[in-house]
Amino acid sequence: MKPRIRQQRHWDVTRHLVGLQINLLREAHGWSMEELAEKAMCSVAVVDALERGNLQRASLAVLERLAAAFDVAILVRFEGFQAYWPKAFEEEENP
């Protein structure tokens, strides 16, 4: 798999997972989007966009305020793509 395609697929998955986590945490707390937006000091439009995986509105400051509202930590880890897409590397090594 070409690096650019691999990167795009990874970011598609990342966007989906971040949005899903925000949605699941919000629902676990029993909050509406409006309540979360108020607690995180952002707009409902930002919460809605993030839950749909639109990370263009996700500054680190917004993510920190969301994490504080949920009382959770943000974890960031840089790893090689091979850890997540091993089959793509196998295809390159064994054409």
Side-chain angles (χ1 to χ4, degrees), residues 3-13 15 81:
R4 193 179 81 216
I5 294 170
R6 186 171 48 238
Q7 289 172 342
Q8 184 60 48
R9 285 187 182 177
H10 175 74
W11 284 114
D12 290 346
V13 170
R15 282 190 289 275
F81 284 106

Side-chain angles (χ1 to χ4, degrees), residues 49-85:
L50 294 176
E51 286 193 8
R52 288 183 290 108
N54 181 351
L55 299 186
Q56 293 176 343
R57 314 242 354 227
S59 68
L60 185 55
V62 169
L63 294 176
E64 287 173 339
R65 292 194 307 267
L66 287 167
F70 293 131
D71 193 26
V72 299
I74 298 173
L75 301 177
V76 177
R77 181 175 63 212
F78 293 92
E79 289 193 43
F81 284 106
Q82 192 164 4
Y84 293 97
W85 301 100

